[in-house]
Amino acid sequence: MAVTLERARRVGCTCLKAILRFAFMVANNLVAIPSYVLYLIVLQPLRMLDSKSFWYIEGVLFKWLLAMVASWGWWAGYTVVEWGDDVKAVSEDEAMVLVNHQATGDVCTLMMCLQDKGTVVRQMMWLMDHIFKYTNFGIVSLIHGDFFIRQGKTHRDQQLVLLKDHLEKYYRSRNRKWIVLFPEGGFLRKRRETSQAFAKKNNLPFLKHVTLPRLGATQVILKTLVAPQENGTPAGGDAVIKDSKSKGLQWVIDTTIAYPKGEPLDIQTWILGYRQPAVTHVHYRIFPVKDVPADPEALTDWLYQRFIEKEDLLTHFYETGAFPPPKGQTKAISREMTLSNLWLVGIQSFAFLSGGMWYCIFQYLYHCLF
């Protein structure tokens, strides 16, 4: 009986904690997202007079919103350990980030582990499934200039044209630095069987922990954002080159996310915190963009090779609990990523104070008008 009561107590505590966390998340969204939108509406005159300053402020607010999402996991004990190359060294350069995709928690993990990488978070662009547009965060991503891509063969060609137009219009005009995409085109559990069948048919390696990536978006990004002196083609159109002093895309950051026991965190877990504290492991490998082939066939082979390497990395991780050391070294060095609780509390406080301020403003206007 004592064991049963103890278990019931633990379950009850977990449920209560999940309810309280969910209530806090809802309140957080109800004040933070409208405040973000209202601040930017008020700042529209600045956008016309000095667009660079406007997008700087927008980027800071965007980073703080992502930090709020990161705080939900951080305070639940979902932390990150990083391996491989130190991406802080290229945080001020333009880079394309290729990430394996296992669950909705992958995005939250990136929102957390990129917080301490300088200006990256406020100057990054995300490529995500179009369904994300209809979530609570969709309005924020629309304003920030992220791109929502619709999956499926019937939409593929049109989506790539739209992506190219989007990059030319928004990427450098808003001073973006990093662009993040998931080349697998969906979650591992949904695409694995199809990918394995395709691999078998085309005599490609059998992959269990990742799927074979799709070329389209990666190729469009490289063609559009790589500087002309590196690939011989205009980088995003004449207008973009004329208005930008950018060196163009300089790096490809191959990012591999691994979860303990191969059990990914999803957004529900991130919000409710009902799983025990867990450490997510993120491995980075940096490639100069000049080493990435432009020819479609060669680029496909190069991209496939990256995901074959991801498969090897993840296999090693699931067998040993650590990523393998780089070539020529005997030991892999990990780095624990940390966030400041004081900073997170400050950002959350700013959000709730902003919500209160806007409420008072609208109450005042309502009484003046009516």
Side-chain angles (χ1 to χ4, degrees):
M1 180 64 71
V3 174
T4 303
L5 288 174
E6 177 64 22
R7 182 171 183 178
R9 186 186 69 81
R10 289 200 303 268
V11 171
C13 288
T14 300
C15 290
L16 178 61
K17 182 177 72 172
I19 292 170
L20 292 174
R21 284 177 57 88
F22 182 74
F24 175 78
M25 184 276 295
V26 171
N28 203 179
N29 276 274
L30 287 176
V31 296
I33 293 176
S35 293
Y36 166 88
V37 174
L38 290 169
Y39 276 126
L40 296 182
I41 290 174
V42 170
L43 289 172
Q44 286 303 303
L46 176 64
R47 182 178 180 180
M48 292 183 286
L49 296 171
D50 185 356
S51 64
K52 184 176 180 180
S53 295
F54 173 86
W55 289 113
Y56 176 87
I57 296 171
E58 185 278 332
V60 171
L61 295 174
F62 183 79
K63 178 177 180 177
W64 289 354
L65 283 177
L66 268 58
M68 292 176 202
V69 176
S71 72
W72 305 341
W74 182 257
W75 288 333
Y78 304 141
T79 57
V80 172
V81 166
E82 299 176 309
W83 304 74
D85 296 333
D86 185 0
V87 296
K88 288 183 181 179
V90 299
S91 62
E92 296 302 317
D93 298 333
E94 289 189 26
M96 175 174 64
V97 184
L98 307 176
V99 192
N100 61 315
H101 208 11
Q102 300 174 70
T104 48
D106 298 340
V107 175
C108 299
T109 295
L110 290 172
M111 288 180 177
M112 176 186 286
C113 65
L114 296 179
Q115 283 292 325
D116 67 343
K117 306 299 186 293
T119 62
V120 162
V121 174
R122 65 177 176 84
Q123 291 181 287
M124 70 195 317
M125 179 181 286
W126 297 74
L127 265 65
M128 59 193 75
D129 191 279
H130 79 288
I131 294 297
F132 195 78
K133 184 189 300 184
Y134 306 106
T135 66
N136 60 313
F137 214 77
I139 182 64
V140 174
S141 292
L142 278 170
I143 294 172
H144 184 69
D146 297 328
F147 183 77
F148 301 95
I149 192 163
R150 187 181 293 271
Q151 304 293 341
K153 292 182 180 179
T154 56
H155 306 288
R156 190 169 300 162
D157 292 341
Q158 180 194 30
Q159 291 298 297
L160 295 179
V161 172
L162 292 174
L163 173 59
K164 183 178 185 297
D165 292 342
H166 186 88
L167 293 173
E168 291 178 343
K169 186 175 182 181
Y170 297 117
Y171 190 80
R172 296 212 169 91
S173 67
R174 298 185 181 183
N175 195 29
R176 298 295 172 244
K177 293 288 187 181
W178 285 19
I179 183 165
V180 181
L181 69 155
F182 301 90
E184 291 165 294
F187 297 139
L188 174 64
R189 67 179 187 276
K190 293 183 177 181
R191 289 211 61 240
R192 179 160 41 197
E193 187 175 341
T194 303
S195 175
Q196 290 173 346
F198 177 83
K200 183 177 181 180
K201 182 179 179 181
N202 292 275
N203 197 29
L204 294 167
F206 184 86
L207 307 177
K208 294 194 303 180
H209 305 304
V210 295
T211 66
L212 290 170
R214 294 170 176 173
L215 177 67
T218 304
Q219 186 177 30
V220 168
I221 291 168
L222 290 171
K223 282 187 175 181
T224 309
L225 299 182
V226 173
Q229 66 269 21
E230 295 184 57
N231 69 353
T233 58
D238 293 340
V240 175
I241 295 173
K242 182 179 179 180
D243 296 336
S244 173
K245 297 180 180 179
S246 169
K247 296 179 181 179
L249 202 68
Q250 295 172 267
W251 309 100
V252 175
I253 302 174
D254 186 27
T255 304
T256 305
I257 299 176
Y259 296 96
K261 300 179 181 179
E263 299 174 356
L265 297 172
D266 54 26
I267 188 65
Q268 297 94 326
T269 306
W270 198 268
I271 292 170
L272 301 177
Y274 52 79
R275 273 178 57 174
Q276 291 297 311
V279 179
T280 301
H281 296 258
V282 182
H283 184 279
Y284 305 105
R285 190 176 176 196
I286 302 173
F287 295 88
V289 77
K290 62 183 178 61
D291 294 342
V292 181
D295 175 73
E297 185 174 343
L299 178 59
T300 300
D301 292 340
W302 185 89
L303 199 56
Y304 280 178
Q305 188 58 42
R306 300 289 73 74
F307 277 77
I308 292 169
E309 289 174 1
K310 285 180 183 292
E311 176 77 11
D312 294 338
L313 286 170
L314 290 168
T315 298
H316 190 281
F317 177 84
Y318 294 137
E319 290 175 353
T320 66
F323 283 111
K327 290 182 179 180
Q329 299 183 23
T330 58
K331 185 179 180 181
I333 305 299
S334 62
R335 305 175 296 275
E336 185 177 354
M337 186 267 164
T338 60
L339 291 175
S340 166
N341 286 315
L342 181 62
W343 179 62
L344 293 177
V345 169
I347 291 171
Q348 293 286 6
S349 300
F350 175 78
F352 283 100
L353 288 172
S354 295
M357 179 193 72
W358 290 115
Y359 176 77
C360 292
I361 290 173
F362 280 110
Q363 283 285 93
Y364 174 77
L365 292 175
Y366 177 82
H367 287 302
C368 288
L369 294 173
F370 302 102

